[in-house]
Amino acid sequence: MKIADRYHKWVEWSEEDHVYVGKCPDLITGIHGDDPVKLYRELRRVVEEVIAHFEAIGKPLPTPRTHPMMEVA
């Protein structure tokens, strides 16, 4: 498993902004775009870049805290 796979990522429609928003709240605030599939690919790339940056500067990664459906389980 890649380190990036530990972090929850999703794309949702923003009615307010009229764009798709890609989120990974444990690492970044979000990115936006018009195509949800392309945006998810971009989100994965950005998350991997953030992880590489943390590793390059010797900063520990934050613990993944966002877990879908945790309240239900």
Side-chain angles (χ1 to χ4, degrees), residues 16-54:
E16 180 180 338
D17 299 319
H18 294 93
V19 295
Y20 289 98
V21 179
K23 297 181 179 183
C24 182
D26 293 328
L27 293 175
I28 63 170
T29 56
I31 60 174
H32 64 277
D34 296 325
D35 182 316
V37 175
K38 289 180 183 176
L39 183 61
Y40 187 77
R41 277 191 223 120
E42 178 71 8
L43 178 61
R44 289 192 55 85
R45 186 186 64 74
V46 169
V47 165
E48 289 175 2
E49 287 178 0
V50 168
I51 291 169
H53 176 72
F54 271 69

Side-chain angles (χ1 to χ4, degrees), residues 49-67:
E49 287 178 0
V50 168
I51 291 169
H53 176 72
F54 271 69
E55 291 173 342
I57 64 172
K59 186 174 180 181
L61 287 163
T63 302
R65 296 174 300 154
T66 305
H67 302 285

